[in-house]
Amino acid sequence: MVEVVPGSPAYRAGLRAGDLVLSAGRTPVGDAQSLQRLMFAEAIGRPLPITVYRNGALVDVIAEPVELTGV
């Protein structure tokens, strides 16, 4: 991750700038578009397990995607 916006679902889940997202919802993530595809309708409002690589270790967090507003 390049940036984590304060107050965002990623921020609330504990994700940090520099985390490398490996999987979301137990599905491997190869690029940003893959991750975005997992964040659509059925994921909104539901806990989504995310595994990241951080400082040489695998870290699991739970995020809850929300509907984007004001875009």
Side-chain angles (χ1 to χ4, degrees):
M1 303 195 85
V2 175
E3 178 183 13
V4 178
V5 177
S8 70
Y11 179 87
R12 289 192 303 273
L15 293 171
R16 302 179 189 163
D19 284 352
L20 176 61
V21 178
L22 301 177
S23 68
R26 314 229 190 286
T27 301
V29 173
D31 54 30
Q33 290 78 18
S34 297
L35 183 57
Q36 288 173 339
R37 281 192 292 275
L38 293 170
M39 299 292 164
F40 279 94
E42 63 274 359
I44 301 298
R46 300 180 133 189
L48 181 69
I50 297 176
T51 300
V52 300
Y53 183 75
R54 175 189 298 160
N55 299 325
L58 295 178
V59 177
D60 293 317
V61 300
I62 302 293
E64 190 170 309
V66 297
E67 189 75 39
L68 289 177
T69 58
V71 179

